[in-house]
mmCIF file of all heavy atoms in Angstrom:
data_model
loop_
_atom_site.group_PDB
_atom_site.id
_atom_site.type_symbol
_atom_site.label_atom_id
_atom_site.label_comp_id
_atom_site.label_asym_id
_atom_site.label_seq_id
_atom_site.Cartn_x
_atom_site.Cartn_y
_atom_site.Cartn_z
ATOM 1 N N TYR O 51 1.983 -12.555 -4.825
ATOM 2 C CA TYR O 51 2.473 -11.253 -4.360
ATOM 3 C C TYR O 51 3.379 -11.530 -3.170
ATOM 4 O O TYR O 51 2.971 -12.218 -2.232
ATOM 5 C CB TYR O 51 1.241 -10.450 -3.950
ATOM 6 C CG TYR O 51 1.389 -8.966 -3.712
ATOM 7 C CD1 TYR O 51 1.030 -8.038 -4.694
ATOM 8 C CD2 TYR O 51 1.821 -8.469 -2.495
ATOM 9 C CE1 TYR O 51 1.094 -6.677 -4.462
ATOM 10 C CE2 TYR O 51 1.896 -7.097 -2.252
ATOM 11 C CZ TYR O 51 1.528 -6.204 -3.241
ATOM 12 O OH TYR O 51 1.582 -4.848 -3.006
ATOM 13 N N GLU O 82 0.710 -8.696 2.107
ATOM 14 C CA GLU O 82 1.329 -7.433 2.517
ATOM 15 C C GLU O 82 2.226 -7.790 3.695
ATOM 16 O O GLU O 82 1.865 -7.634 4.859
ATOM 17 C CB GLU O 82 0.267 -6.413 2.955
ATOM 18 C CG GLU O 82 -0.618 -5.904 1.828
ATOM 19 C CD GLU O 82 -1.838 -5.132 2.333
ATOM 20 O OE1 GLU O 82 -2.044 -5.008 3.553
ATOM 21 O OE2 GLU O 82 -2.608 -4.659 1.480
ATOM 22 N N ARG O 102 11.012 10.137 2.451
ATOM 23 C CA ARG O 102 9.983 10.796 3.265
ATOM 24 C C ARG O 102 10.505 10.947 4.693
ATOM 25 O O ARG O 102 11.067 9.999 5.258
ATOM 26 C CB ARG O 102 8.690 9.967 3.251
ATOM 27 C CG ARG O 102 7.578 10.640 4.042
ATOM 28 C CD ARG O 102 6.213 10.060 3.779
ATOM 29 N NE ARG O 102 5.221 10.798 4.570
ATOM 30 C CZ ARG O 102 3.932 10.537 4.584
ATOM 31 N NH1 ARG O 102 3.438 9.552 3.836
ATOM 32 N NH2 ARG O 102 3.097 11.250 5.325
ATOM 33 N N TYR O 114 2.513 6.153 4.125
ATOM 34 C CA TYR O 114 2.762 5.649 2.767
ATOM 35 C C TYR O 114 4.025 6.335 2.260
ATOM 36 O O TYR O 114 4.131 7.558 2.332
ATOM 37 C CB TYR O 114 1.564 5.970 1.875
ATOM 38 C CG TYR O 114 1.716 5.532 0.436
ATOM 39 C CD1 TYR O 114 2.077 4.231 0.102
ATOM 40 C CD2 TYR O 114 1.485 6.431 -0.617
ATOM 41 C CE1 TYR O 114 2.197 3.835 -1.219
ATOM 42 C CE2 TYR O 114 1.602 6.038 -1.942
ATOM 43 C CZ TYR O 114 1.966 4.740 -2.233
ATOM 44 O OH TYR O 114 2.088 4.343 -3.545
ATOM 45 N N ASP O 127 6.875 0.604 -2.581
ATOM 46 C CA ASP O 127 6.069 1.723 -2.043
ATOM 47 C C ASP O 127 5.226 1.217 -0.875
ATOM 48 O O ASP O 127 4.012 1.082 -0.970
ATOM 49 C CB ASP O 127 5.189 2.371 -3.127
ATOM 50 C CG ASP O 127 4.074 1.461 -3.608
ATOM 51 O OD1 ASP O 127 4.266 0.233 -3.625
ATOM 52 O OD2 ASP O 127 2.984 1.984 -3.949
ATOM 53 N N VAL O 129 3.655 0.822 3.181
ATOM 54 C CA VAL O 129 3.194 1.619 4.305
ATOM 55 C C VAL O 129 4.210 1.372 5.422
ATOM 56 O O VAL O 129 4.429 0.223 5.822
ATOM 57 C CB VAL O 129 1.782 1.194 4.754
ATOM 58 C CG1 VAL O 129 1.355 1.985 5.991
ATOM 59 C CG2 VAL O 129 0.779 1.381 3.621
ATOM 60 N N SER O 141 5.408 -2.435 5.617
ATOM 61 C CA SER O 141 4.290 -3.227 5.081
ATOM 62 C C SER O 141 4.391 -3.188 3.555
ATOM 63 O O SER O 141 3.851 -2.305 2.901
ATOM 64 C CB SER O 141 2.969 -2.632 5.567
ATOM 65 O OG SER O 141 1.884 -3.405 5.107
ATOM 66 N N ILE O 142 5.083 -4.180 3.013
ATOM 67 C CA ILE O 142 5.619 -4.035 1.658
ATOM 68 C C ILE O 142 4.653 -4.385 0.531
ATOM 69 O O ILE O 142 3.786 -5.239 0.653
ATOM 70 C CB ILE O 142 6.914 -4.864 1.470
ATOM 71 C CG1 ILE O 142 6.677 -6.363 1.737
ATOM 72 C CG2 ILE O 142 8.017 -4.313 2.340
ATOM 73 C CD1 ILE O 142 7.873 -7.248 1.377
ATOM 74 N N ALA O 143 4.887 -3.704 -0.608
ATOM 75 C CA ALA O 143 4.330 -4.101 -1.901
ATOM 76 C C ALA O 143 5.227 -5.219 -2.449
ATOM 77 O O ALA O 143 6.124 -5.712 -1.746
ATOM 78 C CB ALA O 143 4.270 -2.901 -2.829
ATOM 79 N N PHE O 196 -7.512 8.129 10.058
ATOM 80 C CA PHE O 196 -6.890 7.571 8.850
ATOM 81 C C PHE O 196 -5.384 7.384 9.044
ATOM 82 O O PHE O 196 -4.675 8.290 9.478
ATOM 83 C CB PHE O 196 -7.155 8.514 7.674
ATOM 84 C CG PHE O 196 -6.675 7.993 6.345
ATOM 85 C CD1 PHE O 196 -7.169 6.810 5.811
ATOM 86 C CD2 PHE O 196 -5.719 8.697 5.615
ATOM 87 C CE1 PHE O 196 -6.736 6.338 4.577
ATOM 88 C CE2 PHE O 196 -5.275 8.231 4.373
ATOM 89 C CZ PHE O 196 -5.778 7.043 3.869
ATOM 90 N N PHE O 197 -4.931 6.196 8.755
ATOM 91 C CA PHE O 197 -3.519 5.801 8.894
ATOM 92 C C PHE O 197 -3.023 5.857 10.347
ATOM 93 O O PHE O 197 -1.824 5.978 10.603
ATOM 94 C CB PHE O 197 -2.599 6.597 7.958
ATOM 95 C CG PHE O 197 -2.424 5.909 6.615
ATOM 96 C CD1 PHE O 197 -3.509 5.441 5.884
ATOM 97 C CD2 PHE O 197 -1.154 5.696 6.089
ATOM 98 C CE1 PHE O 197 -3.343 4.783 4.657
ATOM 99 C CE2 PHE O 197 -0.975 5.034 4.856
ATOM 100 C CZ PHE O 197 -2.087 4.583 4.140
ATOM 101 N N GLY O 215 -6.082 0.673 3.981
ATOM 102 C CA GLY O 215 -6.483 -0.373 3.050
ATOM 103 C C GLY O 215 -6.417 0.094 1.612
ATOM 104 O O GLY O 215 -6.509 1.294 1.338
ATOM 105 N N TYR O 216 -6.299 -0.882 0.731
ATOM 106 C CA TYR O 216 -6.040 -0.597 -0.683
ATOM 107 C C TYR O 216 -7.343 -0.380 -1.463
ATOM 108 O O TYR O 216 -7.595 -1.024 -2.476
ATOM 109 C CB TYR O 216 -5.211 -1.745 -1.262
ATOM 110 C CG TYR O 216 -4.503 -1.439 -2.554
ATOM 111 C CD1 TYR O 216 -3.491 -0.483 -2.620
ATOM 112 C CD2 TYR O 216 -4.824 -2.127 -3.715
ATOM 113 C CE1 TYR O 216 -2.838 -0.222 -3.799
ATOM 114 C CE2 TYR O 216 -4.171 -1.872 -4.900
ATOM 115 C CZ TYR O 216 -3.179 -0.914 -4.931
ATOM 116 O OH TYR O 216 -2.520 -0.662 -6.119
ATOM 117 N N LYS O 218 -10.559 3.041 -1.852
ATOM 118 C CA LYS O 218 -11.015 4.354 -1.373
ATOM 119 C C LYS O 218 -12.446 4.261 -0.872
ATOM 120 O O LYS O 218 -13.152 5.265 -0.807
ATOM 121 C CB LYS O 218 -10.914 5.377 -2.506
ATOM 122 C CG LYS O 218 -9.479 5.720 -2.896
ATOM 123 C CD LYS O 218 -8.909 6.792 -2.000
ATOM 124 C CE LYS O 218 -7.495 7.163 -2.442
ATOM 125 N NZ LYS O 218 -6.836 8.017 -1.468
ATOM 126 N N GLU O 223 -7.514 -2.310 8.421
ATOM 127 C CA GLU O 223 -6.684 -3.498 8.282
ATOM 128 C C GLU O 223 -6.395 -4.024 9.682
ATOM 129 O O GLU O 223 -5.996 -3.270 10.573
ATOM 130 C CB GLU O 223 -5.393 -3.180 7.522
ATOM 131 C CG GLU O 223 -5.672 -2.884 6.053
ATOM 132 C CD GLU O 223 -4.442 -2.462 5.264
ATOM 133 O OE1 GLU O 223 -3.783 -1.489 5.661
ATOM 134 O OE2 GLU O 223 -4.144 -3.118 4.249
ATOM 135 N N TYR O 225 -4.108 -6.458 11.770
ATOM 136 C CA TYR O 225 -2.794 -7.098 11.638
ATOM 137 C C TYR O 225 -2.753 -8.325 12.543
ATOM 138 O O TYR O 225 -2.252 -8.281 13.664
ATOM 139 C CB TYR O 225 -1.688 -6.094 11.974
ATOM 140 C CG TYR O 225 -1.566 -5.006 10.915
ATOM 141 C CD1 TYR O 225 -2.511 -3.979 10.835
ATOM 142 C CD2 TYR O 225 -0.532 -5.022 9.985
ATOM 143 C CE1 TYR O 225 -2.416 -3.004 9.847
ATOM 144 C CE2 TYR O 225 -0.431 -4.048 9.008
ATOM 145 C CZ TYR O 225 -1.376 -3.048 8.950
ATOM 146 O OH TYR O 225 -1.281 -2.083 7.967
ATOM 147 N N LEU O 263 -4.952 4.369 -7.127
ATOM 148 C CA LEU O 263 -3.992 3.703 -6.248
ATOM 149 C C LEU O 263 -2.983 2.955 -7.116
ATOM 150 O O LEU O 263 -3.358 2.177 -7.997
ATOM 151 C CB LEU O 263 -4.712 2.724 -5.310
ATOM 152 C CG LEU O 263 -5.620 3.369 -4.260
ATOM 153 C CD1 LEU O 263 -6.458 2.313 -3.551
ATOM 154 C CD2 LEU O 263 -4.800 4.162 -3.240
ATOM 155 N N LEU O 264 -1.709 3.203 -6.856
ATOM 156 C CA LEU O 264 -0.654 2.627 -7.692
ATOM 157 C C LEU O 264 -0.314 1.208 -7.259
ATOM 158 O O LEU O 264 -0.465 0.843 -6.091
ATOM 159 C CB LEU O 264 0.606 3.487 -7.623
ATOM 160 C CG LEU O 264 0.435 4.954 -8.007
ATOM 161 C CD1 LEU O 264 1.788 5.656 -7.981
ATOM 162 C CD2 LEU O 264 -0.198 5.086 -9.377
ATOM 163 N N PHE O 284 4.963 12.455 -1.158
ATOM 164 C CA PHE O 284 5.452 11.511 -0.152
ATOM 165 C C PHE O 284 6.977 11.544 -0.034
ATOM 166 O O PHE O 284 7.609 10.578 0.386
ATOM 167 C CB PHE O 284 4.940 10.097 -0.474
ATOM 168 C CG PHE O 284 3.436 10.046 -0.588
ATOM 169 C CD1 PHE O 284 2.818 9.924 -1.814
ATOM 170 C CD2 PHE O 284 2.640 10.171 0.544
ATOM 171 C CE1 PHE O 284 1.429 9.908 -1.918
ATOM 172 C CE2 PHE O 284 1.258 10.163 0.452
ATOM 173 C CZ PHE O 284 0.641 10.028 -0.784
HETATM 174 N N1 THG P 401 -1.877 -1.666 3.169
HETATM 175 C C1 THG P 401 -0.786 -2.109 3.828
HETATM 176 N N2 THG P 401 0.329 -2.461 3.193
HETATM 177 C C2 THG P 401 0.373 -2.380 1.846
HETATM 178 C C3 THG P 401 -0.727 -1.908 1.107
HETATM 179 C C4 THG P 401 -1.895 -1.554 1.813
HETATM 180 N N3 THG P 401 1.498 -2.736 1.208
HETATM 181 C C5 THG P 401 1.459 -2.919 -0.205
HETATM 182 C C6 THG P 401 0.646 -1.884 -0.921
HETATM 183 N N4 THG P 401 -0.669 -1.787 -0.262
HETATM 184 C C7 THG P 401 1.348 -0.558 -0.876
HETATM 185 N N5 THG P 401 0.718 0.424 -1.735
HETATM 186 C C8 THG P 401 -0.158 1.380 -1.258
HETATM 187 C C9 THG P 401 -0.633 2.319 -2.163
HETATM 188 C C10 THG P 401 -1.500 3.306 -1.720
HETATM 189 C C11 THG P 401 -1.890 3.357 -0.398
HETATM 190 C C12 THG P 401 -1.429 2.418 0.474
HETATM 191 C C13 THG P 401 -0.550 1.431 0.065
HETATM 192 C C14 THG P 401 -2.776 4.422 0.095
HETATM 193 N N6 THG P 401 -2.674 5.634 -0.452
HETATM 194 C C15 THG P 401 -3.541 6.706 -0.117
HETATM 195 C C16 THG P 401 -3.563 7.655 -1.304
HETATM 196 O O1 THG P 401 -2.742 7.507 -2.196
HETATM 197 O O2 THG P 401 -4.445 8.487 -1.335
HETATM 198 C C17 THG P 401 -3.154 7.445 1.144
HETATM 199 C C18 THG P 401 -1.740 7.835 1.269
HETATM 200 C C19 THG P 401 -1.483 8.759 2.454
HETATM 201 O O3 THG P 401 -2.187 9.754 2.604
HETATM 202 O O4 THG P 401 -0.513 8.492 3.225
HETATM 203 O O5 THG P 401 -3.568 4.212 0.986
HETATM 204 O O6 THG P 401 -2.939 -1.151 1.233
HETATM 205 N N7 THG P 401 -0.825 -2.207 5.154
#
Side-chain angles (χ1 to χ4, degrees):
Y51 193 99
E82 292 168 358
R102 182 165 181 181
Y114 178 52
D127 68 328
V129 176
S141 182
I142 59 172
F196 185 61
F197 269 49
Y216 198 65
K218 291 276 182 190
E223 290 176 304
Y225 290 75
L263 292 170
L264 304 184
F284 304 106

